[in-house]
């Protein structure tokens, strides 16, 4: 009795809990078969690691065409057309720990199929309370030390006293004429 492997079937879909995106993997290839096969492997790897991921989403195929002369001299009317197609797929991952996502991406890069390109975009979330920490750090840079303010004030008072000492009155007794 032969028991077929799990890889023949689509990967297990793990439901999203919070809907927070953590990674997006773009796959590109000139032939669709290795691209679909590698997207299938990536989906199974995500489900094995417990990462909620979408199935491979096909993106528009990029098509480039060239016309080339067959011969250099007399055969002007005889031309060949060449075409290159780039097939694309995207897999989005949700609600996973950054360490697990990094392990998934490193696994995919290690077992990457020839002819399939990978571009990975990851998003990392800041911990709670990070805004308050940034605000406190900014205020420490803006707000100088009270001792520095006191020393600067004493220096200004001394400069004013020495300047008014030559003129006659001290700054405390100086009144403005009205």
């Amino acid at each position: 009795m032969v028991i077929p492997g799990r890889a023949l079937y689509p990967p297990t879909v793990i439901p999203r809990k919070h809907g927070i995106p953590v990674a997006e993997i773009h796959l590109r290839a000139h032939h669709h078969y290795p691209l679909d096969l590698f997207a299938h492997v990536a989906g199974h790897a995500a489900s094995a690691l417990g990462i909620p991921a979408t199935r491979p989403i096909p993106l528009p195929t990029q098509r480039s065409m060239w016309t080339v002369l067959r011969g250099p001299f007399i055969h002007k009317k005889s031309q060949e057309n060449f075409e290159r197609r780039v097939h694309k797929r995207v897999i989005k991952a949700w609600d996973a720990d950054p360490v697990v996502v990094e392990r998934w991406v490193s696994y995919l890069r290690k077992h990457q199929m020839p002819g399939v390109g990978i571009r990975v975009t990851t998003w990392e979330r800041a911990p709670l309370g990070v805004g308050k920490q940034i605000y406190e750090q900014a205020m420490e840079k803006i707000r100088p030390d009270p001792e520095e303010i006191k020393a600067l004030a004493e220096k200004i008072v001394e400069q004013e006293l020495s300047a008014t000492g030559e003129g006659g009155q001290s700054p405390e007794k100086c009144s403005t004429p009205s």
Side-chain angles (χ1 to χ4, degrees):
M1 179 171 157
V2 177
I3 300 173
R6 187 177 140 213
L8 295 176
Y9 303 108
T12 306
V13 177
I14 299 172
R16 300 179 211 165
K17 290 182 182 176
H18 307 291
I20 299 172
V22 293
E24 194 173 71
I25 296 182
H26 287 263
L27 306 171
R28 304 176 78 173
H30 293 292
H31 301 287
H32 66 88
Y33 180 74
L35 178 66
D36 292 336
L37 182 64
F38 189 68
H40 185 76
V41 168
H44 275 287
S47 68
L49 289 171
I51 300 172
T54 62
R55 298 231 170 126
I57 302 167
L59 297 176
T61 302
Q62 181 181 355
R63 185 175 163 196
S64 303
M65 291 188 71
W66 296 276
T67 302
V68 179
L69 298 175
R70 284 185 193 231
F73 182 57
I74 255 179
H75 308 289
K76 170 72 175 160
K77 294 183 180 178
S78 175
Q79 298 177 348
E80 278 185 292
N81 293 320
F82 294 99
E83 175 183 58
R84 178 175 67 188
R85 292 184 181 189
V86 179
H87 302 276
K88 303 174 195 174
R89 305 284 186 270
V90 66
I91 299 174
K92 296 180 181 181
W94 310 85
D95 303 328
D97 189 58
V99 176
V100 177
V101 171
E102 189 62 38
R103 182 170 287 174
W104 179 48
V105 170
S106 66
Y107 174 80
L108 293 179
R109 288 195 192 278
K110 182 179 178 184
H111 299 290
Q112 182 176 357
M113 290 184 71
V116 178
I118 299 177
R119 187 180 76 206
V120 179
T121 306
T122 58
W123 296 282
E124 292 184 14
R125 303 292 178 215
L128 293 176
V130 73
K132 185 176 180 181
Q133 292 172 358
I134 292 173
Y135 176 75
E136 289 172 357
Q137 289 173 357
M139 292 309 292
E140 287 175 7
K141 290 180 182 178
I142 294 172
R143 195 178 302 147
D145 189 29
E147 297 296 324
E148 292 177 15
I149 295 173
K150 190 173 184 180
L152 185 61
E154 289 175 359
K155 184 178 176 183
I156 292 172
V157 168
E158 287 177 14
Q159 288 176 355
E160 291 293 324
L161 285 176
S162 65
T164 56
E166 298 172 7
Q169 292 182 355
S170 67
E172 295 132 7
K173 297 179 182 179
C174 182
S175 62
T176 57
S178 22

